[in-house]
Amino acid sequence: MKLILLGAPGAGKGTQAAVISERLNIPQISTGNIIREALRSGTEMGLKAKSFMDAGKLVPDDVVIGIIKDRLAQPDCENGFILDGFPRTIPQAEALDNMGIVIDKVIDIEVPDDVIVTRLSGRRVCEKCGRPYHIVDLKPKVEGICDDCTGALIQRKDDHIDTVKARLEIYHTETEPLKGYYERQNKLSVVEGQNSVEDTIALTMKALEA
Ligand code: AMP
């Protein structure tokens, strides 16, 4: 199954994608994680992306489209994949179509802006593996330490409140039009994502079975 998860930053795409990836045994492909990894390794692409990312802006389309092209050419994507954080603009969605990739379903996770702001400003992530936590709702077993890989939990620069607001604005202007794009292709299912992680997982799985 070839899937796309749409939604504002902080809507819970990463968490949902991880669950779907495990249940359907398909790789989760997160452009945000790939870019952060490139940054940690100090590659040219990572350095190019850094200023955009830190400011909460989108990395230019040609850069992310290149990343996705390379990643989808890997053998583990042959039987399907779940895209988390891509596409984020109409040209990115068109690039995917032009690659001849036929997407089966697009799940849009809807969360009101005020909930997003609370979520993201309290979010912490493992600096090693990227697993997300929250200072109130999703604490690790040991404070400041990742349950999975014992990496340190940090606040992403782009989760500071002003940057979150900038990211939301960009989401509404650049990414939200993708809902119409995939609705016209008859592929869109909308899921409410403001309740618990478990509730959202149940709704997402139901949408996948429909
Ligand atoms: P995320 O972890 O998905 O919230 O992504 C973090 C940041 O990476 C975004 O704010 C962008 O700067 C960049 N990024 C990730 N995916 C994309 C994309 N598809 N298009 C443009 N920028 C992206």
Side-chain angles (χ1 to χ4, degrees), residues 131-201:
R131 179 169 165 180
Y133 295 85
H134 191 274
I135 51 171
V136 179
D137 297 330
L138 199 60
K139 294 181 180 178
K141 292 188 184 113
V142 180
E143 202 186 321
I145 306 284
C146 177
D147 293 348
D148 283 346
C149 73
T150 71
L153 304 190
I154 54 159
Q155 181 175 37
R156 281 169 40 174
K157 266 200 185 130
D158 57 350
D159 280 347
H160 290 277
I161 195 143
D162 288 343
T163 317
V164 168
K165 288 183 179 161
R167 288 165 70 197
L168 268 173
E169 218 174 293
I170 291 172
Y171 165 74
H172 289 302
T173 53
E174 302 276 340
T175 309
E176 227 173 357
L178 289 174
K179 286 196 246 171
Y181 184 89
Y182 287 113
E183 200 166 25
R184 284 190 288 279
Q185 294 189 4
N186 246 332
K187 291 180 180 165
L188 187 78
S189 298
V190 178
V191 158
E192 276 195 23
Q194 78 264 40
N195 299 318
S196 70
V197 170
E198 291 71 26
D199 285 349
T200 311
I201 288 171

Side-chain angles (χ1 to χ4, degrees), residues 52-210:
F52 295 99
M53 205 167 186
D54 285 351
K57 293 186 179 151
L58 293 183
V59 172
D61 285 336
D62 58 333
V63 178
V64 270
I65 289 167
I67 291 173
I68 279 293
K69 252 190 193 152
D70 289 349
R71 183 61 188 89
L72 295 184
Q74 303 292 313
D76 66 332
C77 293
E78 263 170 29
N79 295 323
F81 48 78
I82 175 150
L83 295 179
D84 150 28
F86 184 97
R88 260 174 153 107
T89 63
I90 296 281
Q92 291 179 20
E94 287 170 347
L96 209 52
D97 288 343
N98 292 337
M99 282 178 225
I101 289 167
V102 181
I103 297 295
D104 297 299
K105 265 186 193 219
V106 179
I107 309 267
D108 169 48
I109 305 175
E110 284 286 315
V111 177
D113 282 7
D114 56 332
V115 178
I116 295 276
V117 172
T118 311
R119 274 192 192 172
L120 286 188
S121 48
R123 177 161 77 173
R124 300 294 179 270
V125 292
C126 173
E127 69 176 350
K128 244 162 110 188
C129 73
R131 179 169 165 180
Y133 295 85
H134 191 274
I135 51 171
V136 179
D137 297 330
L138 199 60
K139 294 181 180 178
K141 292 188 184 113
V142 180
E143 202 186 321
I145 306 284
C146 177
D147 293 348
D148 283 346
C149 73
T150 71
L153 304 190
I154 54 159
Q155 181 175 37
R156 281 169 40 174
K157 266 200 185 130
D158 57 350
D159 280 347
H160 290 277
I161 195 143
D162 288 343
T163 317
V164 168
K165 288 183 179 161
R167 288 165 70 197
L168 268 173
E169 218 174 293
I170 291 172
Y171 165 74
H172 289 302
T173 53
E174 302 276 340
T175 309
E176 227 173 357
L178 289 174
K179 286 196 246 171
Y181 184 89
Y182 287 113
E183 200 166 25
R184 284 190 288 279
Q185 294 189 4
N186 246 332
K187 291 180 180 165
L188 187 78
S189 298
V190 178
V191 158
E192 276 195 23
Q194 78 264 40
N195 299 318
S196 70
V197 170
E198 291 71 26
D199 285 349
T200 311
I201 288 171
L203 292 174
T204 304
M205 295 315 292
K206 213 167 135 193
L208 283 182
E209 284 155 17

